[in-house]
Amino acid sequence: MNIPLEDNFTDVIGKAQRGLEISDSDLAKKARLDASAIRKLRRGHYDELALFRVAPVLGLGARALADLAQNEYRPEVREIDGLTMFNTPYHDMTVNAFLVWDPKSHEAIAFDTGADCRPILDRVKRDKLTVKLILLTHAHPDHIADLSRLKTQTGAPVYISEREAAFGAETISEGHEFNVGNLNVKALLTWGHSRGGMTFFVTGLARPIAVVGDSIFAGSMGGGNISYKEALKNNVEKILTLPDQTIICPGHGPMTTVGEEKAHNPFFVGRI
């Protein structure tokens, strides 16, 4: 499944500016650039000198940001046995949902619903899986748009962070663990993009998995709608400290790994 990156370099600059509350004029002054240079960057014009001056002001890795601007970063992560991603259109974007299962017991966990859960239900039927849990990374509409149908069709209980709410969902706190077949799932509170954003760390397959919602994207991160500072902190301390081979399953864009994002994500290069 060839899914484009969720953000380009201008998106990354914009998210950092908004999070740090730095205006274009302030950014130009701090980076020792003309305001016109900032406007050109924001419109997508690649200027290496301007980019390398702007990046440190915004706490971004300059080389990683340049690689993103020149389309030189693209993580190559394949699905493993017991993991499938579903990408569905939602208005003018697409959104991901995931199905993780124990290949021996065929017991499964659905993570979010995407805009349309029918592809999840088709895969469940095709592989004769039994969905035992529905776990929600957060309650933004694009991620739970088809929750009613998924819950009704599978009969599985639904769980979400105690700091958010979704119809028919029970709440859990950080550290809560689930066991499904040979799989263990641990809930990590990675809020900042949303008030109760959860990352679910799954072990029991060939590689560990982190279903992160909108906390981290390949080459970027979700906007710090609630707290940019806390979003960065939680991503660094709770996601990027997981083993490098951990597959990151984001709410938008392609899958990646902890190792890839530590090395190539402009928000995190040099922070760990």
Side-chain angles (χ1 to χ4, degrees), residues 173-238:
S173 57
E174 182 170 36
H176 192 101
E177 295 191 30
F178 299 94
N179 291 289
V180 173
N182 193 46
L183 305 177
N184 175 263
V185 184
K186 184 174 183 179
L188 307 172
L189 182 63
T190 51
W191 73 283
H193 173 72
S194 73
R195 192 168 300 281
M198 281 285 194
T199 287
F200 294 103
F201 182 56
V202 185
T203 55
L205 296 178
R207 294 170 65 178
I209 297 166
V211 184
V212 301
D214 288 354
S215 292
I216 289 180
F217 304 140
S220 187
M221 61 179 274
N225 301 344
I226 305 300
S227 171
Y228 180 71
K229 179 181 177 181
E230 290 298 324
L232 280 173
K233 180 175 182 288
N234 286 322
N235 288 339
V236 168
E237 294 181 357
K238 298 182 182 181

Side-chain angles (χ1 to χ4, degrees), residues 237-257:
E237 294 181 357
K238 298 182 182 181
I239 298 176
L240 296 181
T241 52
L242 297 172
D244 281 358
Q245 72 270 26
T246 301
I247 298 173
I248 292 177
C249 298
H252 304 276
M255 293 189 295
T256 182
T257 67

Side-chain angles (χ1 to χ4, degrees), residues 82-161:
L83 167 65
T84 295
M85 178 169 72
F86 303 89
N87 181 256
T88 51
Y90 184 85
H91 299 309
D92 61 347
M93 61 180 177
T94 64
V95 60
N96 299 330
F98 297 88
L99 193 63
V100 178
W101 67 94
D102 178 352
K104 291 184 178 179
S105 71
H106 285 209
E107 294 176 314
I109 308 164
F111 294 91
D112 293 344
T113 72
D116 183 348
C117 75
R118 285 176 295 182
I120 297 175
L121 295 171
D122 289 344
R123 184 61 180 264
V124 166
K125 182 178 180 180
R126 192 195 82 179
D127 289 3
K128 297 181 173 59
L129 305 175
T130 301
V131 177
K132 307 295 285 187
L133 295 171
I134 300 169
L135 301 181
L136 305 178
T137 60
H138 61 304
H140 287 175
D142 49 329
H143 296 269
I144 62 170
D146 213 7
L147 180 58
S148 178
R149 173 161 40 190
L150 186 60
K151 179 176 171 59
T152 299
Q153 292 291 317
T154 64
V158 183
Y159 295 92
I160 193 169
S161 166

Side-chain angles (χ1 to χ4, degrees), residues 256-269:
T256 182
T257 67
V258 167
E260 288 275 13
E261 296 314 300
K262 285 163 63 175
H264 300 290
N265 192 312
F267 285 103
F268 307 116
V269 168

